[in-house]
């Protein structure tokens, strides 16, 4: 825990000593210089070029979901807000396997739920539309949203509880996820989608009770990073609770102050984008980039 001192009002405040937050012993100017060298998401002056690039990233995201076994029949969807028409989004065509999706297969859906562009298979998963259209409408900052029935996520969601902050990775979700504590079957009603979006609020993730995980982000990469990480956090906590229970114990939870500090580093938008970069690089290498077709 960082050292504290009292300010003029007698309130305890952290002592800075010119050190970078969360990096004891590292001076602010050195940390700031290091951040300048970090890669950043590309920027585009041409919205059509941006669309083409982002569709490629979305196709890569589906390949990653296929690789990690996040598919379950035809269930699951990831959406991308269209930079050209921001009230529309790109999504996977219903019934096409995640591991086979190419950029040209993606379909464009407008605010009325009509498919207005895309590949040959233009079937739309109505649950995808009902959930994602409401999330995108309620959150103008959200570029991408992901949901699937991953095994550990849906198992944890059957408990109707938030995850605990048990590990450094879980700190990314500290005070930044919710439980949607209702299950009314497949989401085919607009009111259900609105309720999910309202419950999500400004958070990065929702645990849909008896259903599965939902994550959002400012980039495709960030969204996928949060989904993969949250799935692993669910897996980790399921194992930790089982191991602790066998000894009549409980897992140790990271303190609120420490978790909050850590979340600023591991839970930021930029951390999410950069954290996913190795996954996207790997899927590109493994597929030879054929998802860009």
């Amino acid at each position: 825990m960082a050292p504290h001192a009292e300010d003029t009002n007698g309130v305890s405040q952290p002592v800075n000593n010119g050190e970078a937050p969360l990096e004891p012993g590292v001076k602010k100017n050195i940390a700031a210089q290091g951040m300048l060298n970090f890669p950043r998401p590309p920027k585009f002056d041409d919205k059509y070029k941006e669309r083409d690039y982002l569709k490629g990233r979305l196709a890569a995201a589906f390949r990653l979901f296929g690789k990690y076994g996040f598919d379950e029949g035809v269930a699951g969807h990831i959406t991308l807000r269209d930079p050209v028409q921001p009230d529309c989004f790109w999504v996977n065509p219903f019934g096409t396997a995640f591991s086979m999706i190419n950029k040209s297969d993606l379909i464009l859906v407008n605010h009325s739920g009509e498919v207005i562009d895309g590949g040959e298979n233009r079937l739309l998963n109505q649950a995808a539309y009902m959930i994602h259209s409401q999330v995108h409408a309620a959150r103008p900052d959200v570029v991408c949203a992901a949901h699937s029935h991953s095994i550990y996520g849906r198992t944890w969601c059957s408990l109707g509880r938030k995850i605990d902050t048990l590990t450094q990775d879980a700190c990314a979700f500290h005070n930044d996820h919710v439980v949607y504590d209702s299950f009314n079957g497949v989401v085919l009603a607009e009111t259900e989608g609105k309720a999910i979006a309202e419950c999500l609020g400004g958070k990065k993730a929702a645990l849909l009770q008896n259903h599965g995980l939902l994550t959002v982000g400012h980039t495709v990469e960030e969204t996928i990073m949060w989904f993969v990480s949250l799935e692993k956090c669910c897996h980790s906590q399921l194992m930790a609770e089982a191991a602790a229970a066998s000894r009549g114990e409980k897992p140790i939870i990271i303190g609120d102050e420490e978790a909050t500090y850590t979340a600023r580093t591991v839970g930021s938008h930029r951390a999410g984008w950069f954290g996913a970069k190795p996954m996207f690089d790997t899927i590109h290498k493994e597929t030879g980039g054929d998802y860009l077709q």
Side-chain angles (χ1 to χ4, degrees):
M1 184 178 299
H4 283 62
E6 288 190 350
D7 63 14
T8 55
N9 295 316
V11 178
S12 179
Q13 299 287 349
V15 174
N16 191 283
N17 295 328
E19 294 182 351
L22 305 181
E23 297 293 345
V26 179
K27 297 301 181 181
K28 282 184 177 179
N29 62 331
I30 297 175
Q33 183 62 39
M35 286 300 291
L36 292 175
N37 298 323
F38 264 59
R40 298 171 182 267
K43 293 184 178 181
F44 297 85
D45 294 326
D46 185 325
K47 291 297 182 182
Y48 287 93
K49 288 183 179 179
E50 182 179 7
R51 169 195 273 179
D52 187 67
Y53 172 79
L54 292 178
K55 285 176 64 181
R57 302 309 272 175
L58 181 60
F62 284 113
R63 295 298 187 96
L64 283 167
F65 267 34
K67 175 181 177 178
Y68 295 146
F70 294 163
D71 49 352
E72 181 76 13
V74 297
H77 19 86
I78 312 172
T79 54
L80 164 70
R81 187 188 298 277
D82 183 46
V84 178
Q85 299 172 272
D87 61 344
C88 301
F89 60 79
W90 295 90
V91 67
N92 50 308
F94 198 28
T96 299
F98 289 169
S99 59
M100 296 175 62
I101 287 180
N102 293 329
K103 180 173 66 174
S104 59
D105 294 320
L106 300 170
I107 57 176
L108 183 63
V109 183
N110 68 15
H111 63 279
S112 299
E114 300 169 328
V115 178
I116 58 175
D117 197 1
E120 292 184 8
N121 175 8
R122 295 198 174 188
L123 288 177
L124 172 63
N125 183 334
Q126 286 300 312
Y129 171 72
M130 291 303 176
I131 295 174
H132 291 254
S133 64
Q134 298 304 318
V135 170
H136 283 292
R139 292 278 301 275
D141 64 305
V142 166
V143 169
C144 181
H147 165 68
S148 85
H149 301 172
S150 53
I151 185 64
Y152 298 108
R154 73 189 191 201
T155 301
W156 181 261
C157 287
S158 71
L159 303 180
R161 294 167 46 198
K162 292 182 181 181
I163 62 165
D164 294 323
T165 312
L166 300 183
T167 64
Q168 176 173 300
D169 305 286
C171 289
F173 304 98
H174 185 69
N175 294 329
D176 205 8
H177 73 288
V178 299
V179 173
Y180 178 68
D181 60 355
S182 177
F183 179 76
N184 296 304
V186 179
V187 182
L188 298 177
E190 183 178 299
T191 54
E192 184 81 350
K194 286 183 177 179
I196 291 173
E198 182 178 348
C199 180
L200 175 65
K203 309 296 187 183
K204 64 162 60 88
L207 307 175
L208 309 182
Q209 187 172 294
N210 304 110
H211 192 169
L213 309 180
L214 172 70
T215 61
V216 300
H218 288 186
T219 60
V220 174
E221 294 88 348
E222 179 194 353
T223 302
I224 300 310
M225 179 63 194
W226 300 148
F227 194 99
V228 171
S229 184
L230 186 55
E231 168 75 358
K232 290 182 177 181
C233 287
C234 291
H235 188 182
S236 176
Q237 185 157 353
L238 287 165
M239 292 193 298
E241 290 198 357
S246 69
R247 299 168 58 90
E249 301 171 351
K250 291 184 178 181
I252 297 171
I253 298 175
I254 296 172
D256 179 71
E257 183 178 2
E258 291 81 2
T260 300
Y261 284 152
T262 306
R264 293 173 186 168
T265 295
V266 302
S268 69
H269 300 299
R270 194 166 174 188
W273 177 84
F274 188 63
K277 186 178 180 298
M279 291 188 286
F280 280 76
D281 290 345
T282 300
I283 203 69
H284 185 80
K285 178 72 171 181
E286 291 178 347
T287 63
D290 69 351
Y291 59 86
L292 293 174
Q293 297 177 36

